[in-house]
Amino acid sequence: MPSGAPPRPALAFRIGVTGARALPAGSRDDLLRQVRDVLRLVREEIGRYAAMPDVRAAYGETAPSLRLVSPLAEGADRLVARAALDEGFALVVPMPFAPAEYEKDFVSGESRHEFRALLAQATSRLELDGGRGEDEAASYEAIGRLVVRNCDLLIALWDGRPGKGRGGTADIVRFAANGGPPIWWVRPDAAAPPRWIADTADWEQSAP
């Protein structure tokens, strides 16, 4: 850097994920393919963008940083996390509770092992001080909103149905549509093509 020049930030792009914990068994391969297509497109477009002269003048010379923000709940969170790690994204894991408490959400030993293996690959983690009982729904809502506020694109694996209430996938998708990042909405039941949601008006459009 020239003497006296201010430091420049590194170019970064963050993808968040929200979605169902239970995905149809027969849809996983197709969902994985679609998610990988999105991740690869992001990587290609950010690489192209980083090569533009005015962008290079604004950002540092280091390679763009690509990150996946996932709480690693069962289902959608982990499917997207595995795909992102395979595509060279860094994994950032926010959690509603400390890991030992969070693991109580995962009933099987296999699920807990998978959680620990993915968490071990994270470049950073954040543990919120959520609570159980009356505070549980608010705790899941807080972590979902944290993902939305800290990503540039949200991948939602969601069947489009009303959620179970506060902090569920439907609630988080609507929160993002009301002023968060754009949403790439993929239906695990394949009942409709994927849709791009930039704001609440896009809910009214029938075109993919």
Side-chain angles (χ1 to χ4, degrees):
M1 294 291 292
S3 177
R8 292 179 292 172
L11 181 61
F13 194 90
R14 305 157 303 167
I15 295 178
V17 57
T18 187
R21 294 196 177 203
L23 300 173
S27 70
R28 288 181 175 270
D29 288 346
D30 188 54
L31 289 174
L32 194 57
R33 177 187 59 78
Q34 293 187 65
V35 167
R36 283 176 173 159
D37 285 346
V38 173
L39 297 172
R40 289 167 183 169
L41 178 61
V42 166
R43 186 175 58 204
E44 291 169 5
E45 288 297 307
I46 294 300
R48 183 179 62 82
Y49 186 72
M52 295 179 179
D54 51 347
V55 175
R56 294 181 65 183
Y59 291 91
E61 297 294 334
T62 57
S65 175
L66 300 176
R67 304 171 192 156
L68 188 280
V69 184
S70 171
L72 296 183
E74 293 172 334
D77 285 7
R78 296 185 190 178
L79 183 145
V80 178
R82 288 192 298 270
L85 287 168
D86 288 344
E87 295 297 329
F89 282 64
L91 178 60
V92 177
V93 180
M95 294 173 283
F97 320 105
E101 179 62 32
Y102 193 27
E103 285 186 7
K104 295 177 183 178
D105 284 3
F106 317 134
V107 294
S108 72
E110 182 181 1
S111 179
R112 290 191 293 273
H113 176 76
E114 181 185 41
F115 168 73
R116 293 168 188 166
L118 287 169
L119 185 61
Q121 298 179 71
T123 57
S124 62
R125 66 170 76 175
L126 175 64
E127 303 167 13
L128 299 189
D129 56 348
R132 298 289 189 179
E134 294 181 353
D135 296 328
E136 189 164 277
S139 300
Y140 293 125
E141 178 188 55
I143 208 68
R145 292 189 173 200
L146 185 149
V147 171
V148 168
R149 291 185 177 121
N150 288 276
C151 70
D152 304 296
L153 171 67
L154 182 69
I155 294 177
L157 303 186
W158 174 48
D159 61 11
R161 299 173 185 171
K164 296 180 179 179
R166 188 176 180 183
T169 301
D171 184 48
I172 298 306
V173 168
R174 291 191 183 94
F175 176 75
N178 277 319
I183 305 159
W184 184 243
W185 174 19
V186 180
R187 295 190 59 140
D189 56 9
R195 289 182 59 185
W196 179 261
I197 306 294
D199 55 45
T200 51
D202 289 335
W203 293 117
E204 307 303 323
Q205 299 177 9
S206 58

